[in-house]
Amino acid sequence: MKKDEQFGFYLDLNRCIGCRTCQLSCKDYHDSAIGVNFRRVFEVEGGSWFDSDKTIKSDVFAYYTSISCNHCSDPACTKVCPTGAMMKTRYGIVMVNQQDCIGCKSCAMACPYGAPQYDKKSGHMSKCNGCLERIDENLEPICTASCPFRALEFGNISELRAKHDGLASVAPLPKEDVTLPNLVINPSKDTKFSGDRSVRMHSPEKYQGVEYDIV
Ligand code: SF4
Ligand code: SF4
Ligand code: SF4
């Protein structure tokens, strides 16, 4: 990518199986502190079984969303940062300069995607930096490279939008006009759209008796 191009992500909900390889590979590569996850995978579900004309029918649905920072074109986080630590840099990537961050958490409260993550150990905010050092070397971000189902892609957002049909206003994410996220999501047949209140969201801390540091 060229430095003046806008970085973005593509996520295919027809391919994502919620394995969390992207989340864990990011955490491992960035050596993130306990409780800090730059990419998070949520299970989204809803619906129920119901009686319809003496037949039991169902409208249950489920899908996964893998979400990090969307390096928004109108970022809520940079607007509220009192020190300018949260800033847009090359490739349009939004990153936090930890030396200037005073840990006030204003960015975390402003971001509708929960992207900025407070690092209790350092006392500063941390977040997805688009694996910027890898982009400089013409390498892929770790999360997109590690997805075993090729559900994630990164690149110039204009090219991703031209290549894939999709949108970013997918439940439980906010409507895309809030921050203009550089994100394209290919919905599955089950996908609900932003504002749909029938969805429930899970990010289990414990599965089959094993505890995970994923929230
Ligand atoms: S690695 Fe791929 S399939 Fe697995 S949760 Fe992440 S995006 Fe989904
Ligand atoms: S997703 Fe949140 S942290 Fe990332 S650029 Fe947008 S508003 Fe800022
Ligand atoms: S681009 Fe890099 S920092 Fe951002 S979620 Fe993916 S692996 Fe993590």
Side-chain angles (χ1 to χ4, degrees):
M1 277 187 66
K2 293 187 188 139
K3 291 193 167 90
D4 60 354
E5 291 177 344
Q6 175 62 57
F7 174 104
F9 287 113
Y10 167 72
L11 170 65
D12 188 343
L13 297 187
N14 294 286
R15 286 177 172 259
C16 178
I17 62 151
C19 66
R20 296 191 167 85
T21 307
C22 52
Q23 180 172 321
L24 293 175
S25 62
C26 170
K27 192 169 174 73
D28 184 40
Y29 178 73
H30 290 278
D31 201 16
S32 303
I34 291 172
V36 171
N37 293 285
F38 298 161
R39 181 167 283 283
R40 286 146 300 128
V41 177
F42 297 101
E43 182 179 333
V44 186
E45 61 171 35
S48 63
W49 294 86
F50 53 90
D51 191 354
S52 168
D53 213 9
K54 298 187 180 164
T55 309
I56 301 296
K57 289 190 174 170
S58 145
D59 60 0
V60 296
F61 62 88
Y63 56 93
Y64 296 92
T65 58
S66 170
I67 292 297
S68 67
C69 174
N70 302 305
H71 305 288
C72 305
S73 292
D74 187 19
C77 55
T78 58
K79 288 181 192 163
V80 298
C81 177
T83 67
M86 191 67 77
M87 59 185 174
K88 223 163 159 58
T89 182
R90 59 191 187 277
Y91 315 113
I93 283 173
V94 173
M95 62 176 287
V96 59
N97 178 344
Q98 292 207 327
Q99 287 180 340
D100 291 341
C101 173
I102 56 171
C104 67
K105 304 182 188 169
S106 300
C107 54
M109 288 186 273
C111 171
Y113 297 94
Q117 307 265 307
Y118 184 66
D119 183 339
K120 284 186 199 155
K121 199 169 163 197
S122 71
H124 302 302
M125 202 51 72
S126 58
K127 70 181 286 301
C128 162
N129 69 349
C131 291
L132 185 131
E133 64 290 340
R134 289 176 60 86
I135 309 298
D136 282 340
E137 293 179 13
N138 278 326
L139 296 171
E140 243 186 288
I142 285 291
C143 56
T144 63
S146 68
C147 173
F149 294 90
R150 293 285 170 260
L152 282 172
E153 287 178 33
F154 89 104
N156 176 322
I157 192 66
S158 304
E159 289 172 9
L160 289 176
R161 287 185 178 129
K163 182 175 167 191
H164 301 288
D165 281 338
L167 72 172
S169 298
V170 163
L173 308 181
K175 286 194 177 152
E176 52 198 295
D177 58 4
V178 179
T179 63
L180 306 182
N182 288 300
L183 175 68
V184 190
I185 297 179
N186 182 25
S188 65
K189 69 174 178 43
D190 278 356
T191 305
K192 305 293 178 199
F193 299 100
S194 298
D196 189 311
R197 295 187 174 272
S198 69
V199 304
R200 295 188 295 271
M201 206 165 75
H202 286 288
S203 185
E205 289 172 72
K206 202 176 210 181
Y207 181 67
Q208 293 185 344
V210 180
E211 286 189 8
Y212 293 90
D213 169 28
I214 57 169
V215 289

